[in-house]
Amino acid sequence: MSLLCVDDLIIEFPSRHGVAVSVKGVSFQVEKGEILGLVGESGAGKSTIGNGIVNLLSSPGRVADGSIKLAGDSIRNLDDEAMRKVRGRRIGFIFQDPMTSLNPLLTIGTQLMETVQATLGADKEAARARALELLDAVGIPEPELRLEQYPHQFSGGMRQRVVIAIALAGEPELIIADEPTTALDVSVQNQVLELIRKLCKERDVGCILITHDMGVIANTTDRVAVLYQGELMECGPTMDVLERPQHAYTRSLISAVPRVDVKVHRFPRVEYIEKAESKPIDVKNHWLGVKESFGSVENGELLKVENLDLRFVTKSAFLEKNRKYVQAIDNVSFTVKDGETFGLVGESGSGKSTTARVIAGLYRPDNGRVMFAGQDLGALSEKQRRPLRRQIQMVFQNPYSSLNSRMTVSDIIAEPIRFHDLAESEMKIRQIVNDLLDHVGLGAAAGKRFPHEFSGGQRQRISIARALATRPRFLICDEPTSALDVSVQAQILNLLKDLQDELGLTMLFISHDLPVIRQMCDRIAVMKQGGIVEINDSDSLFANPRQEYTRNLIEVMPHLDHLSRDGLDVEMPLNKAVV
Amino acid sequence: MLAFLARRLVQALIVMFVISLISFSIQDNLGDPLREMVGQSVSEAERQQLRDELGLNDPFLTQYGRFLSSAVQGDLGQSYFFKEPALEVILAKLPATLELTFGATLLIIVISIPAGVYAAIRPHSVLTRAILGFSILGISVPVFLTAIFCIYLFSIELGWLPSYGRGELVPVWGVWETGYLNKDGLLHLILPCVSLASIMLPLFIRLIRSEMVEALHTEYVKFAKAKGLRKARIYFLHALKNTMLPVVTVGGVQIGTMVAYTILTETVFQWPGMGFLFLEAVNRVDTPLIVAYLIVVGAIFVVVNTLVDLIYGLINPTVRLAGGDK
């Protein structure tokens, strides 16, 4: 008998507009000591299944049909009190964001001990002893001291360890981990996954690992279930599914995953997900393609960043000596050649976005120069800078906050054209905006609508159209796809590649995601704590990392070598990284 | 902690300085104090002489400077009407007002927290609708109307509760007379406290409800459920503690405001407190008394807000660290 048997599970959300069925008859089993991955994109229903098993669905969601059996006992339709005894005691839960799943006003000790007391019925002394033991088991040093501390005194990875300790507190038979590492850096992600895996094996606990990340699936799970819009596409041993996907959806999902082992010219189109009606315009004869006489640049170096320094005040004080600073950028220098894509990669807090913002003129550096096309941007007045600003455009990370929700899409895109006075008449502007919308695959009709009517991927297309509206020469993409699903990411990356080919754009591409950087960039700079660790062309960097730090980054990156290469438009196989 | 208090003290001094400046500058526009002080028979020449003696003809800054230097020594001038130091007159009435405010605050805390929490936990129940309906009513009806209605119902028609004054008082520590220690005093407190609370109570019920609803939707509450905790612990520890953070902040400001509302309540109930005295002082153009009232109320505001910040620091560990506790 399996530890957990889910049969024909149906979960629905009744509403005024009818019933939305978000899980449509899904069945799977989890064995003791086994890690089952639930993978899918947003809207696949994977989190809903996790919440549905322990009846934590947000109102008005409900499990409408099917059976859920834990070690033979049906746990569907339990009343509140009976279900409470299952939670924590028999099924432990790990949530996505350790920043929000711990109560900020209570000490770690309180939150751990209350769980031990509630699940095991232990008294205070015993609960404390168990809490110490748990903190030790999840690898938190100095547990005695840590017990008295509050969540904000822990780093993200440490907090997730605490959350894991809490999930284990009641000696559960099953753990449901809902995107446990999505909010963490890659190196921390690996440690946390390793810990979950170790604990499950040691304690013979079953685990459901919910994630959107194929890399996590490949490295951690024993079996995998692929979900798409509430339906189970296929389920099987992880290696089988990844190497020989049976279902068309799985195949297209896998083909959209950026990888390091092969370089593709374009990502294959994932017909299943986004139906972008692209009506590309003939760029050569269009306003967009008008080649301005930017003039050639010396040595082909379009952008030259020299000894950039920037620090932020973290504690303000009247006296200079009492102020505290953090060095956001520390002596950063690099050059970007005309027409290439230059990548900045690093973990959170490494200063990549800050560097981009200095180049875009959003921050002023404390020291150093930004030379664009031979001119020192810092030495120019705001007015002299304006034509150069026009040539540098930016696509921001979060498509939800970077578009003004009170403006129509066509006004958003037309704004830079109007500001820089790039078209002779309003009619011409309309025409350009419509063509841009067609070209990025949204269709001219989208112009009359507002940003909130679009999905994340569509919004990012709007951002790209807006950035193109000044006919820029240099495009800064700051994590343009990190908020998007993998298939949508593939479409956006394709769009960027195409635009670069057509318009001869130079790009600065920023990402924490090594495989994405690998696919997009000609040369790469690795950043760490505000400084540059090494710069090399992309192939050499991955094949022969010169610095210890780079080697580590490549090492902890999810390895997707066994992924099926079906349908890939392989440009060249890449040398495997030496690790 | 010390750094925090020192910073707070400097802020308080600035606030008090501004209040004194404002309240002092009002007095030029409050009519002629001499009209109230002397009879009809006094001639214009004598009046002029009296003005000179009182220093009312000096330039504004000179008058203010004089006022400030004596104010720092605790002298806010003589009340024109009582012929006594204004500050003493005010402070003699302070216990009455503070007891009224304290009673109303207590009522608000005791009623609004359970009502707000209940409304958040059971959003669709009949009682919740009743609570929210009542709170709309409470916000819309002015405090003097509530007071008059209460007097009509409980004092005149039913004859249960007294309608004016503080009743029998018990002295404590020699300087303070309290109504909280015997039955008669307590009976006299009920109607004024209910009326005064009526204006703030709905606001707090609604504030606590909306903050609690938000807290119940957070990840850590969901996680607390997933941990298998009992509902009572989730509601009253995890959610309520976070609910109270904004409530404490708003509460500090509102308690100060409530001291101002006592003017209405005290007038309707003939409550011998500062507010009642203030209204009389305005009628009599007793400028020093008015100024003293404004300054005392300002000081109460500052003290209450400092206390609130300290309490906030106790609840919220992130603030405690930032306050320089290390």
Side-chain angles (χ1 to χ4, degrees):
Chain A
M1 183 178 56
S2 301
L3 175 62
L4 180 80
C5 272
V6 174
D7 259 316
D8 267 329
L9 186 70
I10 294 175
I11 296 176
E12 45 183 46
F13 288 78
S15 77
R16 231 183 308 176
H17 313 289
V19 177
V21 184
S22 55
V23 176
K24 303 162 184 157
V26 169
S27 310
F28 58 87
Q29 290 87 36
V30 185
E31 307 296 334
K32 274 186 184 170
E34 175 194 57
I35 301 181
L36 172 77
L38 287 187
V39 69
E41 300 190 282
S42 34
K46 47 194 197 305
S47 287
T48 312
I49 292 175
N51 290 330
I53 291 172
V54 286
N55 200 11
L56 278 178
L57 292 167
S58 52
S59 169
R62 63 192 185 91
V63 177
D65 203 4
S67 81
I68 307 167
K69 287 205 175 101
L70 182 64
D73 314 327
S74 172
I75 57 167
R76 204 197 136 198
N77 289 333
L78 288 183
D79 62 30
D80 281 0
E81 185 55 22
M83 191 41 125
R84 186 181 72 74
K85 286 184 176 142
V86 172
R87 293 186 200 135
R89 182 76 191 85
R90 303 189 65 187
I91 301 178
F93 229 97
I94 300 170
F95 282 144
Q96 172 172 2
D97 192 348
M99 300 291 160
T100 56
S101 51
L102 294 172
N103 191 328
L105 303 186
L106 301 176
T107 60
I108 297 302
T110 309
Q111 301 191 48
L112 249 172
M113 281 154 63
E114 67 178 2
T115 317
V116 177
Q117 285 175 305
T119 50
L120 300 182
D123 63 17
K124 220 163 178 186
E125 275 309 300
R128 195 183 146 80
R130 171 123 180 97
L132 289 172
E133 182 194 316
L134 283 165
L135 285 184
D136 195 46
V138 296
I140 291 182
E142 297 181 87
E144 292 270 356
L145 176 76
R146 291 305 221 169
L147 221 48
E148 308 303 324
Q149 292 186 332
Y150 289 90
H152 70 270
Q153 292 162 291
F154 287 70
S155 69
M158 280 296 169
R159 285 189 214 197
Q160 199 61 306
R161 284 171 192 264
V162 173
V163 171
I164 293 171
I166 291 175
L168 287 173
E171 294 171 351
E173 298 149 59
L174 177 75
I175 285 181
I176 301 175
D178 190 354
E179 303 268 10
T181 55
T182 306
L184 305 174
D185 271 335
V186 191
S187 55
V188 185
Q189 159 170 320
N190 264 24
Q191 295 164 8
V192 169
L193 290 175
E194 196 49 49
L195 178 69
I196 292 178
R197 196 173 163 79
K198 184 182 121 216
L199 292 170
C200 287
K201 298 297 167 197
E202 270 175 17
R203 298 171 188 229
D204 212 15
V205 173
C207 179
I208 298 177
L209 184 71
I210 298 164
T211 181
H212 68 281
D213 188 335
M214 275 297 176
V216 171
I217 291 290
N219 288 359
T220 318
T221 60
D222 301 312
R223 284 193 309 129
V224 61
V226 183
L227 292 159
Y228 173 66
Q229 294 191 348
E231 284 177 74
L232 188 66
M233 296 286 113
E234 65 181 290
C235 183
T238 304
M239 282 313 130
D240 288 359
V241 173
L242 294 187
E243 280 169 24
R244 292 176 295 278
Q246 299 302 307
H247 196 278
Y249 172 73
T250 320
R251 270 202 293 278
S252 61
L253 187 66
I254 288 176
S255 69
V257 176
R259 53 185 70 198
V260 281
D261 56 340
V262 289
K263 178 146 182 159
V264 294
H265 183 59
R266 295 181 93 258
F267 292 96
R269 247 185 95 174
V270 183
E271 307 279 342
Y272 249 94
I273 296 112
E274 190 162 342
K275 287 160 193 73
E277 293 299 323
S278 197
K279 275 188 281 175
I281 44 178
D282 179 11
V283 175
K284 294 243 156 34
N285 304 315
H286 191 265
W287 173 89
L288 197 62
V290 174
K291 280 273 180 263
E292 286 167 83
S293 49
F294 283 131
S296 64
V297 285
E298 217 180 311
N299 307 333
E301 288 172 354
L302 181 59
L303 180 86
K304 194 165 178 164
V305 174
E306 288 173 349
N307 306 99
L308 224 49
D309 270 319
L310 178 64
R311 57 183 187 173
F312 292 122
V313 179
T314 50
K315 183 171 175 266
S316 57
F318 183 68
L319 294 174
E320 170 76 32
K321 67 177 165 69
N322 291 343
R323 282 180 215 156
K324 283 187 184 147
Y325 300 94
V326 56
Q327 194 76 33
I329 313 177
D330 189 4
N331 198 13
V332 164
S333 308
F334 59 86
T335 51
V336 181
K337 298 199 185 86
D338 201 13
E340 78 171 345
T341 302
F342 187 83
L344 279 182
V345 68
E347 299 192 287
S348 50
S350 60
K352 357 180 248 306
S353 289
T354 316
T355 308
R357 282 159 181 261
V358 169
I359 295 167
L362 299 174
Y363 293 143
R364 274 193 174 275
D366 296 333
N367 281 313
R369 293 196 300 172
V370 179
M371 307 282 290
F372 184 78
Q375 281 179 288
D376 181 357
L377 289 183
L380 299 176
S381 72
E382 190 53 37
K383 200 168 172 188
Q384 292 169 317
R385 234 182 133 153
R386 195 166 291 163
L388 291 177
R389 269 189 193 267
R390 211 202 91 203
Q391 296 178 29
I392 305 176
Q393 289 295 314
M394 194 154 172
V395 176
F396 292 90
Q397 172 172 13
N398 189 337
Y400 294 90
S401 58
S402 59
L403 299 173
N404 186 335
S405 56
R406 305 259 179 263
M407 286 166 78
T408 61
V409 167
S410 61
D411 279 336
I412 289 172
I413 298 172
E415 195 177 26
I417 307 179
R418 293 188 182 128
F419 179 77
H420 290 288
D421 226 354
L422 297 179
E424 19 328 332
S425 67
E426 190 60 24
M427 256 211 359
K428 181 89 197 223
I429 294 177
R430 293 271 152 224
Q431 188 53 46
I432 294 169
V433 169
N434 288 348
D435 290 348
L436 273 171
L437 283 169
D438 272 335
H439 199 64
V440 297
L442 285 172
K448 294 192 188 66
R449 291 154 67 192
F450 286 91
H452 69 89
E453 298 172 57
F454 296 91
S455 69
Q458 289 172 320
R459 283 180 210 220
Q460 211 55 313
R461 287 174 193 266
I462 298 171
S463 295
I464 292 171
R466 175 179 60 182
L468 293 178
T470 63
R471 278 184 301 202
R473 188 179 188 185
F474 186 67
L475 194 61
I476 302 171
C477 299
D478 185 1
E479 303 260 13
T481 57
S482 62
L484 305 176
D485 273 334
V486 61
S487 60
V488 183
Q489 161 172 289
Q491 305 311 311
I492 296 292
L493 295 181
N494 275 345
L495 177 64
L496 286 171
K497 283 184 172 208
D498 293 349
L499 288 169
Q500 188 175 29
D501 288 351
E502 292 161 3
L503 302 171
L505 288 172
T506 308
M507 277 207 274
L508 178 65
F509 193 95
I510 294 161
S511 181
H512 68 282
D513 191 333
L514 281 162
V516 169
I517 284 274
R518 180 78 181 98
Q519 293 300 328
M520 295 299 290
C521 302
D522 304 314
R523 288 194 310 132
I524 297 169
V526 180
M527 288 190 79
K528 180 196 178 191
Q529 291 170 1
I532 287 184
V533 177
E534 78 173 284
I535 303 181
N536 209 339
D537 63 83
S538 159
D539 293 339
S540 322
L541 187 97
F542 278 87
N544 284 311
R546 285 191 297 238
Q547 298 295 324
E548 183 68 33
Y549 181 72
T550 316
R551 207 167 303 140
N552 280 340
L553 267 188
I554 294 174
E555 201 171 327
V556 297
M557 167 179 79
H559 288 282
L560 298 163
D561 306 349
H562 359 261
L563 249 56
S564 149
R565 293 187 186 178
D566 266 14
L568 283 188
D569 168 15
V570 177
E571 193 173 85
M572 55 177 286
L574 299 174
N575 298 328
K576 214 180 151 205
V578 186
V579 287
Chain B
M1 190 66 178
L2 271 177
F4 170 78
L5 279 181
R7 210 175 321 133
R8 219 46 235 237
L9 203 66
V10 174
Q11 285 169 2
L13 285 178
I14 296 171
V15 170
M16 290 311 295
F17 176 76
V18 173
I19 291 175
S20 75
L21 191 63
I22 292 171
S23 50
F24 186 77
S25 58
I26 305 172
Q27 75 171 16
D28 273 351
N29 307 311
L30 268 184
D32 187 359
L34 260 72
R35 204 185 60 201
E36 299 292 328
M37 286 168 71
V38 296
Q40 293 281 338
S41 59
V42 182
S43 72
E44 185 53 35
E46 279 173 302
R47 280 168 193 255
Q48 208 45 257
Q49 196 197 343
L50 210 56
R51 278 204 187 96
D52 278 342
E53 277 172 24
L54 288 170
L56 294 174
N57 286 336
D58 291 345
F60 177 79
L61 278 181
T62 316
Q63 288 194 48
Y64 179 64
R66 196 161 52 218
F67 166 78
L68 204 60
S69 71
S70 50
V72 172
Q73 298 160 38
D75 177 11
L76 292 176
Q78 289 271 328
S79 160
Y80 296 146
F81 180 80
F82 292 100
K83 313 279 191 236
E84 278 171 47
L87 192 61
E88 276 178 31
V89 177
I90 290 282
L91 290 182
K93 304 285 187 185
L94 186 65
T97 299
L98 286 188
E99 292 209 334
L100 179 59
T101 317
F102 173 75
T105 309
L106 207 64
L107 269 181
I108 291 176
I109 292 173
V110 168
I111 299 174
S112 68
I113 294 178
V117 169
Y118 180 85
I121 296 174
R122 303 241 179 288
H124 302 298
S125 88
V126 180
L127 187 57
T128 297
R129 276 169 213 190
I131 291 171
L132 294 182
F134 156 79
S135 72
I136 285 280
L137 197 72
I139 288 178
S140 348
V141 179
V143 69
F144 65 90
L145 208 63
T146 320
I148 290 170
F149 176 75
C150 284
I151 291 178
Y152 174 74
L153 188 66
F154 294 104
S155 304
I156 301 174
E157 288 296 317
L158 299 169
W160 291 350
L161 295 167
S163 66
Y164 66 89
R166 295 183 69 193
E168 210 178 304
L169 300 175
V170 182
V172 278
W173 312 314
V175 285
W176 192 289
E177 291 190 314
T178 177
Y180 279 98
L181 291 180
N182 64 357
K183 194 182 165 205
D184 191 51
L186 280 174
L187 283 180
H188 278 83
L189 269 165
I190 295 176
L191 285 187
C193 285
V194 168
S195 306
L196 185 57
S198 72
I199 196 77
M200 298 291 175
L201 188 57
L203 175 86
F204 277 93
I205 293 179
R206 292 187 155 249
L207 181 69
I208 290 172
R209 171 180 162 270
S210 65
E211 292 296 334
M212 183 83 176
V213 166
E214 210 164 284
L216 288 177
H217 280 108
T218 54
E219 282 285 299
Y220 54 79
V221 164
K222 195 176 166 194
F223 189 55
K225 278 186 202 162
K227 287 181 346 188
L229 300 187
R230 287 180 194 283
K231 271 187 182 159
R233 192 170 171 93
I234 297 173
Y235 292 148
F236 294 106
L237 183 72
H238 284 269
L240 189 58
K241 204 167 179 185
N242 284 278
T243 301
M244 291 320 284
L245 281 185
V247 175
V248 166
T249 315
V250 175
V253 181
Q254 294 300 332
I255 289 174
T257 314
M258 211 152 65
V259 174
Y261 273 103
T262 56
I263 295 178
L264 288 172
T265 322
E266 289 182 3
T267 308
V268 177
F269 290 100
Q270 301 281 301
W271 190 263
M274 293 195 312
F276 192 42
L277 183 74
F278 175 71
L279 215 62
E280 286 178 333
V282 169
N283 280 330
R284 295 177 186 134
V285 204
D286 194 343
T287 323
L289 205 53
I290 295 173
V291 172
Y293 173 81
L294 292 177
I295 287 177
V296 168
V297 171
I300 293 177
F301 243 96
V302 170
V303 169
V304 167
N305 276 305
T306 309
L307 284 179
V308 162
D309 283 350
L310 286 177
I311 295 174
Y312 192 91
L314 286 183
I315 310 181
N316 193 344
T318 49
V319 174
R320 211 182 304 163
L321 279 180
D325 207 8
K326 292 192 277 195

